[in-house]
């Protein structure tokens, strides 16, 4: 079995009685060198490939498969990112730090809302939705192709924080926080 990527000791290892399962082989390779919450494991066997999260390997025993000669195991870091823009603590492209991340967690990762600039009624999440999801959301069957959506979160509403906590951020989303109206007025006055 070949074990490559984010492990301590990459190499080709024989399948022996103590290392016949995926978790045992990863341990034999010195364990993972990637942070556990963002580590993904890909196993390739012939023409078939499957990917799981490292944490799921231990939470669900069915993923701890028996290995076969010629299997290839790749451990890699999650490559998903989102972009944060506007009146936040930082404007940048941000990597995911766990399997799932909510809108509140995304805002917190970039330093939160800027208290002097942000308008908590205008937190937008821009996303390209696949055709089937766009059809479901809009209740229409005549939609073709990927559609652009803008989701608005108002953190001042009674359930606004709960909605933001439950709203899942996806790969390549853009989180944009608008400026408060008085900020635009102050900019105009100072100009």
């Amino acid at each position: 079995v070949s074990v490559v990527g984010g492990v301590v000791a990459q190499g080709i290892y024989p399948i022996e009685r103590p290392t016949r399962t995926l978790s045992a082989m990863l341990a034999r390779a010195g364990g993972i060198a990637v942070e556990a919450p963002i580590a993904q494991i890909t196993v390739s066997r012939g023409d078939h490939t499957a990917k799981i999260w490292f944490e799921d390997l231990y939470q669900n025993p069915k993923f701890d498969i028996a290995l076969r000669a010629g299997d290839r195991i790749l451990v890699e870091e999650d490559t998903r990112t989102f972009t944060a823009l506007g009146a936040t603590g930082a404007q940048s492209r941000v990597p995911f730090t766990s399997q799932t991340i909510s809108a509140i967690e995304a805002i917190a990762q970039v330093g939160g809302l800027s208290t002097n600039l942000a308008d908590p009624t205008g937190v937008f999440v821009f996303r390209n939705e696949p055709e089937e999801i766009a059809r479901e959301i809009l209740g229409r069957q005549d939609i073709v192709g990927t559609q652009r959506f803008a989701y608005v979160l108002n953190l001042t509403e009674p359930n606004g924080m709960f909605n933001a906590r439950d709203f899942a951020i996806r790969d390549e989303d853009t989180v944009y926080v608008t400026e408060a109206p008085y900020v635009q007025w102050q900019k105009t006055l100072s100009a």
Side-chain angles (χ1 to χ4, degrees), residues 44-149:
S44 298
R45 178 178 291 162
D47 294 337
H48 300 288
T49 300
K51 183 183 280 192
I52 62 166
W53 292 96
F54 175 72
E55 290 180 337
D56 291 345
L57 179 62
Y58 291 98
Q59 292 175 0
N60 194 337
K62 76 176 184 179
F63 293 132
D64 196 12
I65 61 171
L67 297 174
R68 293 186 188 161
D71 283 355
R72 296 176 313 277
I73 302 168
L74 169 66
V75 178
E76 59 188 342
E77 190 173 301
D78 183 14
T79 59
R80 296 175 303 156
T81 62
F82 68 92
T83 305
L85 299 171
T88 60
Q91 298 184 39
S92 61
R93 189 170 183 208
V94 184
F96 276 55
T97 56
S98 61
Q99 288 183 35
T100 59
I101 185 169
S102 69
I104 285 292
E105 291 168 329
I107 292 169
Q109 275 190 320
V110 293
L113 300 179
S114 175
T115 56
N116 297 331
L117 302 174
D119 180 3
T121 65
V123 177
F124 291 85
V125 177
F126 299 108
R127 174 181 296 162
N128 292 334
E129 292 286 13
E131 181 179 316
E132 57 275 1
I133 293 176
R135 285 181 176 185
E136 183 74 26
I137 291 171
L138 298 175
R140 296 174 43 190
Q141 297 304 312
D142 60 340
I143 294 173
V144 178
T146 302
Q147 302 295 309
R148 294 178 176 177
F149 275 75

Side-chain angles (χ1 to χ4, degrees), residues 1-5 7 9-16 19 25 28-29 67-73:
V1 173
S2 62
V3 184
V4 296
V7 291
Q10 298 183 51
I12 298 174
Y13 295 96
I15 299 173
E16 300 171 331
T19 60
M25 188 58 73
R28 172 68 179 91
L67 297 174
R68 293 186 188 161
D71 283 355
R72 296 176 313 277
I73 302 168

